[in-house]
Structure formats: C-alpha cells, structure tokens
PDB file of all heavy atoms in Angstrom:
ATOM      1  N   GLY A   1       7.398 -21.952 -31.174  1.00  0.00           N
ATOM      2  CA  GLY A   1       7.531 -20.574 -30.707  1.00  0.00           C
ATOM      3  C   GLY A   1       6.375 -20.150 -29.819  1.00  0.00           C
ATOM      4  O   GLY A   1       6.570 -19.484 -28.801  1.00  0.00           O
ATOM      5  N   ILE A   2       5.162 -20.545 -30.202  1.00  0.00           N
ATOM      6  CA  ILE A   2       3.991 -20.216 -29.388  1.00  0.00           C
ATOM      7  C   ILE A   2       4.104 -20.868 -28.009  1.00  0.00           C
ATOM      8  O   ILE A   2       3.792 -20.238 -26.983  1.00  0.00           O
ATOM      9  CB  ILE A   2       2.702 -20.677 -30.095  1.00  0.00           C
ATOM     10  CG1 ILE A   2       2.482 -19.885 -31.398  1.00  0.00           C
ATOM     11  CG2 ILE A   2       1.499 -20.546 -29.178  1.00  0.00           C
ATOM     12  CD1 ILE A   2       2.306 -18.396 -31.200  1.00  0.00           C
ATOM     13  N   LEU A   3       4.560 -22.101 -27.966  1.00  0.00           N
ATOM     14  CA  LEU A   3       4.707 -22.804 -26.686  1.00  0.00           C
ATOM     15  C   LEU A   3       5.788 -22.146 -25.822  1.00  0.00           C
ATOM     16  O   LEU A   3       5.607 -21.970 -24.609  1.00  0.00           O
ATOM     17  CB  LEU A   3       5.044 -24.277 -26.921  1.00  0.00           C
ATOM     18  CG  LEU A   3       3.952 -25.100 -27.626  1.00  0.00           C
ATOM     19  CD1 LEU A   3       4.454 -26.524 -27.894  1.00  0.00           C
ATOM     20  CD2 LEU A   3       2.681 -25.126 -26.796  1.00  0.00           C
ATOM     21  N   ILE A   4       6.903 -21.777 -26.451  1.00  0.00           N
ATOM     22  CA  ILE A   4       7.989 -21.124 -25.712  1.00  0.00           C
ATOM     23  C   ILE A   4       7.537 -19.757 -25.201  1.00  0.00           C
ATOM     24  O   ILE A   4       7.816 -19.380 -24.060  1.00  0.00           O
ATOM     25  CB  ILE A   4       9.240 -20.986 -26.606  1.00  0.00           C
ATOM     26  CG1 ILE A   4       9.828 -22.371 -26.901  1.00  0.00           C
ATOM     27  CG2 ILE A   4      10.293 -20.103 -25.937  1.00  0.00           C
ATOM     28  CD1 ILE A   4      10.916 -22.365 -27.960  1.00  0.00           C
ATOM     29  N   GLY A   5       6.843 -19.010 -26.035  1.00  0.00           N
ATOM     30  CA  GLY A   5       6.339 -17.703 -25.620  1.00  0.00           C
ATOM     31  C   GLY A   5       5.352 -17.818 -24.475  1.00  0.00           C
ATOM     32  O   GLY A   5       5.353 -17.002 -23.540  1.00  0.00           O
ATOM     33  N   SER A   6       4.495 -18.839 -24.518  1.00  0.00           N
ATOM     34  CA  SER A   6       3.535 -19.059 -23.435  1.00  0.00           C
ATOM     35  C   SER A   6       4.250 -19.397 -22.132  1.00  0.00           C
ATOM     36  O   SER A   6       3.844 -18.947 -21.049  1.00  0.00           O
ATOM     37  CB  SER A   6       2.575 -20.196 -23.812  1.00  0.00           C
ATOM     38  OG  SER A   6       1.841 -19.873 -24.981  1.00  0.00           O
ATOM     39  N   LEU A   7       5.316 -20.184 -22.234  1.00  0.00           N
ATOM     40  CA  LEU A   7       6.115 -20.492 -21.051  1.00  0.00           C
ATOM     41  C   LEU A   7       6.724 -19.224 -20.472  1.00  0.00           C
ATOM     42  O   LEU A   7       6.803 -19.050 -19.254  1.00  0.00           O
ATOM     43  CB  LEU A   7       7.217 -21.491 -21.413  1.00  0.00           C
ATOM     44  CG  LEU A   7       8.168 -21.894 -20.285  1.00  0.00           C
ATOM     45  CD1 LEU A   7       7.402 -22.532 -19.126  1.00  0.00           C
ATOM     46  CD2 LEU A   7       9.245 -22.846 -20.814  1.00  0.00           C
ATOM     47  N   GLY A   8       7.142 -18.315 -21.364  1.00  0.00           N
ATOM     48  CA  GLY A   8       7.675 -17.037 -20.908  1.00  0.00           C
ATOM     49  C   GLY A   8       6.655 -16.250 -20.105  1.00  0.00           C
ATOM     50  O   GLY A   8       6.992 -15.634 -19.089  1.00  0.00           O
ATOM     51  N   ASP A   9       5.401 -16.275 -20.541  1.00  0.00           N
ATOM     52  CA  ASP A   9       4.325 -15.612 -19.790  1.00  0.00           C
ATOM     53  C   ASP A   9       4.208 -16.184 -18.376  1.00  0.00           C
ATOM     54  O   ASP A   9       4.085 -15.450 -17.394  1.00  0.00           O
ATOM     55  CB  ASP A   9       2.986 -15.804 -20.512  1.00  0.00           C
ATOM     56  CG  ASP A   9       2.806 -14.860 -21.687  1.00  0.00           C
ATOM     57  OD1 ASP A   9       3.716 -14.058 -21.958  1.00  0.00           O
ATOM     58  OD2 ASP A   9       1.758 -14.926 -22.342  1.00  0.00           O
ATOM     59  N   ILE A  10       4.239 -17.512 -18.292  1.00  0.00           N
ATOM     60  CA  ILE A  10       4.073 -18.186 -17.003  1.00  0.00           C
ATOM     61  C   ILE A  10       5.233 -17.852 -16.069  1.00  0.00           C
ATOM     62  O   ILE A  10       5.041 -17.553 -14.888  1.00  0.00           O
ATOM     63  CB  ILE A  10       3.960 -19.702 -17.208  1.00  0.00           C
ATOM     64  CG1 ILE A  10       2.680 -20.037 -17.985  1.00  0.00           C
ATOM     65  CG2 ILE A  10       3.987 -20.439 -15.873  1.00  0.00           C
ATOM     66  CD1 ILE A  10       2.590 -21.473 -18.439  1.00  0.00           C
ATOM     67  N   VAL A  11       6.447 -17.900 -16.601  1.00  0.00           N
ATOM     68  CA  VAL A  11       7.637 -17.610 -15.784  1.00  0.00           C
ATOM     69  C   VAL A  11       7.614 -16.161 -15.303  1.00  0.00           C
ATOM     70  O   VAL A  11       7.903 -15.878 -14.135  1.00  0.00           O
ATOM     71  CB  VAL A  11       8.920 -17.895 -16.595  1.00  0.00           C
ATOM     72  CG1 VAL A  11      10.155 -17.390 -15.850  1.00  0.00           C
ATOM     73  CG2 VAL A  11       9.050 -19.396 -16.867  1.00  0.00           C
ATOM     74  N   PHE A  12       7.245 -15.235 -16.200  1.00  0.00           N
ATOM     75  CA  PHE A  12       7.213 -13.824 -15.824  1.00  0.00           C
ATOM     76  C   PHE A  12       6.152 -13.568 -14.755  1.00  0.00           C
ATOM     77  O   PHE A  12       6.402 -12.839 -13.783  1.00  0.00           O
ATOM     78  CB  PHE A  12       6.926 -12.968 -17.057  1.00  0.00           C
ATOM     79  CG  PHE A  12       7.020 -11.488 -16.813  1.00  0.00           C
ATOM     80  CD1 PHE A  12       8.231 -10.895 -16.512  1.00  0.00           C
ATOM     81  CD2 PHE A  12       5.892 -10.673 -16.881  1.00  0.00           C
ATOM     82  CE1 PHE A  12       8.329  -9.523 -16.282  1.00  0.00           C
ATOM     83  CE2 PHE A  12       5.970  -9.316 -16.655  1.00  0.00           C
ATOM     84  CZ  PHE A  12       7.192  -8.736 -16.349  1.00  0.00           C
ATOM     85  N   LEU A  13       4.986 -14.175 -14.910  1.00  0.00           N
ATOM     86  CA  LEU A  13       3.931 -14.025 -13.913  1.00  0.00           C
ATOM     87  C   LEU A  13       4.376 -14.570 -12.558  1.00  0.00           C
ATOM     88  O   LEU A  13       4.157 -13.931 -11.517  1.00  0.00           O
ATOM     89  CB  LEU A  13       2.667 -14.755 -14.373  1.00  0.00           C
ATOM     90  CG  LEU A  13       1.489 -14.757 -13.390  1.00  0.00           C
ATOM     91  CD1 LEU A  13       1.017 -13.342 -13.103  1.00  0.00           C
ATOM     92  CD2 LEU A  13       0.340 -15.601 -13.935  1.00  0.00           C
ATOM     93  N   ALA A  14       5.028 -15.733 -12.566  1.00  0.00           N
ATOM     94  CA  ALA A  14       5.508 -16.321 -11.314  1.00  0.00           C
ATOM     95  C   ALA A  14       6.535 -15.417 -10.644  1.00  0.00           C
ATOM     96  O   ALA A  14       6.551 -15.280  -9.415  1.00  0.00           O
ATOM     97  CB  ALA A  14       6.119 -17.700 -11.587  1.00  0.00           C
ATOM     98  N   ALA A  15       7.384 -14.761 -11.453  1.00  0.00           N
ATOM     99  CA  ALA A  15       8.394 -13.859 -10.899  1.00  0.00           C
ATOM    100  C   ALA A  15       7.756 -12.649 -10.239  1.00  0.00           C
ATOM    101  O   ALA A  15       8.123 -12.262  -9.123  1.00  0.00           O
ATOM    102  CB  ALA A  15       9.352 -13.417 -12.001  1.00  0.00           C
ATOM    103  N   VAL A  16       6.790 -12.042 -10.922  1.00  0.00           N
ATOM    104  CA  VAL A  16       6.115 -10.852 -10.381  1.00  0.00           C
ATOM    105  C   VAL A  16       5.353 -11.195  -9.109  1.00  0.00           C
ATOM    106  O   VAL A  16       5.385 -10.448  -8.122  1.00  0.00           O
ATOM    107  CB  VAL A  16       5.174 -10.240 -11.438  1.00  0.00           C
ATOM    108  CG1 VAL A  16       4.338  -9.122 -10.831  1.00  0.00           C
ATOM    109  CG2 VAL A  16       5.983  -9.698 -12.611  1.00  0.00           C
ATOM    110  N   LEU A  17       4.674 -12.332  -9.098  1.00  0.00           N
ATOM    111  CA  LEU A  17       3.925 -12.741  -7.910  1.00  0.00           C
ATOM    112  C   LEU A  17       4.858 -13.054  -6.742  1.00  0.00           C
ATOM    113  O   LEU A  17       4.551 -12.737  -5.586  1.00  0.00           O
ATOM    114  CB  LEU A  17       3.062 -13.970  -8.227  1.00  0.00           C
ATOM    115  CG  LEU A  17       1.897 -13.742  -9.201  1.00  0.00           C
ATOM    116  CD1 LEU A  17       1.185 -15.058  -9.485  1.00  0.00           C
ATOM    117  CD2 LEU A  17       0.921 -12.710  -8.648  1.00  0.00           C
ATOM    118  N   SER A  18       6.003 -13.650  -7.028  1.00  0.00           N
ATOM    119  CA  SER A  18       6.956 -13.981  -5.967  1.00  0.00           C
ATOM    120  C   SER A  18       7.572 -12.733  -5.352  1.00  0.00           C
ATOM    121  O   SER A  18       7.810 -12.669  -4.143  1.00  0.00           O
ATOM    122  CB  SER A  18       8.067 -14.890  -6.515  1.00  0.00           C
ATOM    123  OG  SER A  18       7.561 -16.150  -6.908  1.00  0.00           O
ATOM    124  N   LEU A  19       7.828 -11.714  -6.178  1.00  0.00           N
ATOM    125  CA  LEU A  19       8.452 -10.484  -5.683  1.00  0.00           C
ATOM    126  C   LEU A  19       7.491  -9.629  -4.861  1.00  0.00           C
ATOM    127  O   LEU A  19       7.929  -8.849  -4.010  1.00  0.00           O
ATOM    128  CB  LEU A  19       8.978  -9.655  -6.858  1.00  0.00           C
ATOM    129  CG  LEU A  19      10.322 -10.071  -7.434  1.00  0.00           C
ATOM    130  CD1 LEU A  19      10.664  -9.200  -8.634  1.00  0.00           C
ATOM    131  CD2 LEU A  19      11.425  -9.977  -6.394  1.00  0.00           C
ATOM    132  N   LYS A  20       6.200  -9.731  -5.153  1.00  0.00           N
ATOM    133  CA  LYS A  20       5.195  -8.917  -4.456  1.00  0.00           C
ATOM    134  C   LYS A  20       5.563  -7.438  -4.585  1.00  0.00           C
ATOM    135  O   LYS A  20       5.774  -6.929  -5.668  1.00  0.00           O
ATOM    136  CB  LYS A  20       5.072  -9.365  -3.003  1.00  0.00           C
ATOM    137  CG  LYS A  20       4.627 -10.805  -2.855  1.00  0.00           C
ATOM    138  CD  LYS A  20       4.524 -11.227  -1.401  1.00  0.00           C
ATOM    139  CE  LYS A  20       4.107 -12.685  -1.291  1.00  0.00           C
ATOM    140  NZ  LYS A  20       4.039 -13.150   0.099  1.00  0.00           N
ATOM    141  N   ASP A  21       5.674  -6.720  -3.466  1.00  0.00           N
ATOM    142  CA  ASP A  21       5.953  -5.275  -3.529  1.00  0.00           C
ATOM    143  C   ASP A  21       7.435  -4.947  -3.656  1.00  0.00           C
ATOM    144  O   ASP A  21       7.816  -3.774  -3.661  1.00  0.00           O
ATOM    145  CB  ASP A  21       5.379  -4.583  -2.292  1.00  0.00           C
ATOM    146  CG  ASP A  21       3.863  -4.546  -2.311  1.00  0.00           C
ATOM    147  OD1 ASP A  21       3.290  -4.547  -3.421  1.00  0.00           O
ATOM    148  OD2 ASP A  21       3.250  -4.534  -1.229  1.00  0.00           O
ATOM    149  N   SER A  22       8.280  -5.969  -3.751  1.00  0.00           N
ATOM    150  CA  SER A  22       9.710  -5.737  -3.936  1.00  0.00           C
ATOM    151  C   SER A  22      10.071  -5.601  -5.411  1.00  0.00           C
ATOM    152  O   SER A  22      11.228  -5.348  -5.737  1.00  0.00           O
ATOM    153  CB  SER A  22      10.519  -6.894  -3.314  1.00  0.00           C
ATOM    154  OG  SER A  22      10.415  -6.879  -1.914  1.00  0.00           O
ATOM    155  N   TRP A  23       9.083  -5.759  -6.283  1.00  0.00           N
ATOM    156  CA  TRP A  23       9.372  -5.688  -7.719  1.00  0.00           C
ATOM    157  C   TRP A  23       9.688  -4.268  -8.140  1.00  0.00           C
ATOM    158  O   TRP A  23       8.973  -3.328  -7.823  1.00  0.00           O
ATOM    159  CB  TRP A  23       8.175  -6.199  -8.518  1.00  0.00           C
ATOM    160  CG  TRP A  23       8.444  -6.281  -9.996  1.00  0.00           C
ATOM    161  CD1 TRP A  23       9.474  -6.914 -10.609  1.00  0.00           C
ATOM    162  CD2 TRP A  23       7.656  -5.701 -11.037  1.00  0.00           C
ATOM    163  NE1 TRP A  23       9.372  -6.775 -11.979  1.00  0.00           N
ATOM    164  CE2 TRP A  23       8.274  -6.042 -12.269  1.00  0.00           C
ATOM    165  CE3 TRP A  23       6.478  -4.945 -11.053  1.00  0.00           C
ATOM    166  CZ2 TRP A  23       7.762  -5.644 -13.492  1.00  0.00           C
ATOM    167  CZ3 TRP A  23       5.976  -4.548 -12.275  1.00  0.00           C
ATOM    168  CH2 TRP A  23       6.610  -4.896 -13.483  1.00  0.00           C
ATOM    169  N   ARG A  24      10.802  -4.124  -8.847  1.00  0.00           N
ATOM    170  CA  ARG A  24      11.198  -2.847  -9.439  1.00  0.00           C
ATOM    171  C   ARG A  24      11.674  -3.101 -10.863  1.00  0.00           C
ATOM    172  O   ARG A  24      12.212  -4.154 -11.168  1.00  0.00           O
ATOM    173  CB  ARG A  24      12.328  -2.169  -8.642  1.00  0.00           C
ATOM    174  CG  ARG A  24      11.991  -1.849  -7.200  1.00  0.00           C
ATOM    175  CD  ARG A  24      10.954  -0.753  -7.059  1.00  0.00           C
ATOM    176  NE  ARG A  24      10.763  -0.395  -5.672  1.00  0.00           N
ATOM    177  CZ  ARG A  24       9.971  -1.039  -4.823  1.00  0.00           C
ATOM    178  NH1 ARG A  24       9.296  -2.097  -5.239  1.00  0.00           N
ATOM    179  NH2 ARG A  24       9.860  -0.650  -3.566  1.00  0.00           N
ATOM    180  N   VAL A  25      11.494  -2.101 -11.710  1.00  0.00           N
ATOM    181  CA  VAL A  25      12.010  -2.169 -13.073  1.00  0.00           C
ATOM    182  C   VAL A  25      13.215  -1.257 -13.126  1.00  0.00           C
ATOM    183  O   VAL A  25      13.083  -0.037 -13.217  1.00  0.00           O
ATOM    184  CB  VAL A  25      10.942  -1.737 -14.101  1.00  0.00           C
ATOM    185  CG1 VAL A  25      11.512  -1.840 -15.516  1.00  0.00           C
ATOM    186  CG2 VAL A  25       9.696  -2.594 -13.961  1.00  0.00           C
ATOM    187  N   GLY A  26      14.397  -1.830 -13.036  1.00  0.00           N
ATOM    188  CA  GLY A  26      15.612  -1.037 -12.953  1.00  0.00           C
ATOM    189  C   GLY A  26      16.136  -1.000 -11.538  1.00  0.00           C
ATOM    190  O   GLY A  26      15.497  -1.469 -10.587  1.00  0.00           O
ATOM    191  N   ILE A  27      17.309  -0.415 -11.383  1.00  0.00           N
ATOM    192  CA  ILE A  27      17.946  -0.312 -10.073  1.00  0.00           C
ATOM    193  C   ILE A  27      17.373   0.892  -9.340  1.00  0.00           C
ATOM    194  O   ILE A  27      17.429   2.017  -9.837  1.00  0.00           O
ATOM    195  CB  ILE A  27      19.473  -0.166 -10.227  1.00  0.00           C
ATOM    196  CG1 ILE A  27      20.043  -1.431 -10.891  1.00  0.00           C
ATOM    197  CG2 ILE A  27      20.138   0.084  -8.882  1.00  0.00           C
ATOM    198  CD1 ILE A  27      21.518  -1.344 -11.206  1.00  0.00           C
ATOM    199  N   PRO A  28      16.806   0.686  -8.145  1.00  0.00           N
ATOM    200  CA  PRO A  28      16.189   1.804  -7.408  1.00  0.00           C
ATOM    201  C   PRO A  28      17.216   2.837  -6.958  1.00  0.00           C
ATOM    202  O   PRO A  28      18.343   2.503  -6.601  1.00  0.00           O
ATOM    203  CB  PRO A  28      15.524   1.110  -6.212  1.00  0.00           C
ATOM    204  CG  PRO A  28      16.274  -0.167  -6.043  1.00  0.00           C
ATOM    205  CD  PRO A  28      16.671  -0.589  -7.423  1.00  0.00           C
ATOM    206  N   GLN A  29      16.789   4.106  -6.985  1.00  0.00           N
ATOM    207  CA  GLN A  29      17.676   5.185  -6.555  1.00  0.00           C
ATOM    208  C   GLN A  29      17.767   5.263  -5.039  1.00  0.00           C
ATOM    209  O   GLN A  29      18.787   5.644  -4.485  1.00  0.00           O
ATOM    210  CB  GLN A  29      17.157   6.523  -7.086  1.00  0.00           C
ATOM    211  CG  GLN A  29      17.042   6.588  -8.595  1.00  0.00           C
ATOM    212  CD  GLN A  29      16.433   7.895  -9.031  1.00  0.00           C
ATOM    213  OE1 GLN A  29      17.042   8.959  -8.879  1.00  0.00           O
ATOM    214  NE2 GLN A  29      15.215   7.854  -9.564  1.00  0.00           N
ATOM    215  N   SER A  30      16.696   4.932  -4.366  1.00  0.00           N
ATOM    216  CA  SER A  30      16.676   5.012  -2.906  1.00  0.00           C
ATOM    217  C   SER A  30      15.739   3.944  -2.376  1.00  0.00           C
ATOM    218  O   SER A  30      14.906   3.388  -3.100  1.00  0.00           O
ATOM    219  CB  SER A  30      16.186   6.392  -2.448  1.00  0.00           C
ATOM    220  OG  SER A  30      14.865   6.637  -2.917  1.00  0.00           O
ATOM    221  N   GLY A  31      15.882   3.665  -1.101  1.00  0.00           N
ATOM    222  CA  GLY A  31      15.033   2.646  -0.492  1.00  0.00           C
ATOM    223  C   GLY A  31      15.580   1.259  -0.785  1.00  0.00           C
ATOM    224  O   GLY A  31      16.240   1.032  -1.801  1.00  0.00           O
ATOM    225  N   GLN A  32      15.323   0.342   0.110  1.00  0.00           N
ATOM    226  CA  GLN A  32      15.835  -1.008  -0.045  1.00  0.00           C
ATOM    227  C   GLN A  32      14.687  -2.007  -0.027  1.00  0.00           C
ATOM    228  O   GLN A  32      13.850  -1.994   0.862  1.00  0.00           O
ATOM    229  CB  GLN A  32      16.825  -1.336   1.078  1.00  0.00           C
ATOM    230  CG  GLN A  32      17.428  -2.736   0.968  1.00  0.00           C
ATOM    231  CD  GLN A  32      18.490  -2.980   2.023  1.00  0.00           C
ATOM    232  OE1 GLN A  32      19.330  -2.112   2.289  1.00  0.00           O
ATOM    233  NE2 GLN A  32      18.449  -4.150   2.628  1.00  0.00           N
ATOM    234  N   THR A  33      14.653  -2.865  -1.013  1.00  0.00           N
ATOM    235  CA  THR A  33      13.640  -3.907  -1.058  1.00  0.00           C
ATOM    236  C   THR A  33      14.177  -5.157  -0.365  1.00  0.00           C
ATOM    237  O   THR A  33      15.345  -5.230   0.000  1.00  0.00           O
ATOM    238  CB  THR A  33      13.270  -4.251  -2.516  1.00  0.00           C
ATOM    239  OG1 THR A  33      14.444  -4.722  -3.195  1.00  0.00           O
ATOM    240  CG2 THR A  33      12.740  -3.027  -3.233  1.00  0.00           C
ATOM    241  N   GLU A  34      13.317  -6.144  -0.204  1.00  0.00           N
ATOM    242  CA  GLU A  34      13.742  -7.401   0.395  1.00  0.00           C
ATOM    243  C   GLU A  34      14.435  -8.264  -0.653  1.00  0.00           C
ATOM    244  O   GLU A  34      14.152  -8.167  -1.842  1.00  0.00           O
ATOM    245  CB  GLU A  34      12.541  -8.158   0.952  1.00  0.00           C
ATOM    246  CG  GLU A  34      11.828  -7.454   2.087  1.00  0.00           C
ATOM    247  CD  GLU A  34      10.648  -8.264   2.603  1.00  0.00           C
ATOM    248  OE1 GLU A  34      10.508  -9.435   2.176  1.00  0.00           O
ATOM    249  OE2 GLU A  34       9.884  -7.731   3.418  1.00  0.00           O
TER     250      GLU A  34
END
C-alpha cells in the first residue's frame, strides 16, 4: 500500500507539471484551456 500510494504521488505530480497553467479542478465556467 505504501508503494502504491507513493506511485500515486508521482503520477499526480507529473500530471500537474504537465498541465502547467491549464490545470483546473472541475469543469471551468468560462475561458478555454489548452
């Protein structure tokens, strides 16, 4: 479980870094991201 959870941290960090300023939590009401 600790190993799987750590992998989750790595995957989440990679996702946030890849999205840069296009990251949103939820569907945006206005504006369009890349």
Side-chain angles (χ1 to χ4, degrees):
I2 294 298
L3 296 176
I4 292 170
S6 299
L7 179 59
D9 281 0
I10 295 170
V11 171
F12 186 67
L13 177 61
V16 173
L17 292 177
S18 294
L19 279 177
K20 299 180 181 178
D21 290 332
S22 291
W23 185 53
R24 300 291 186 277
V25 181
I27 297 175
Q29 301 176 68
S30 61
Q32 181 175 317
T33 60
E34 296 180 9

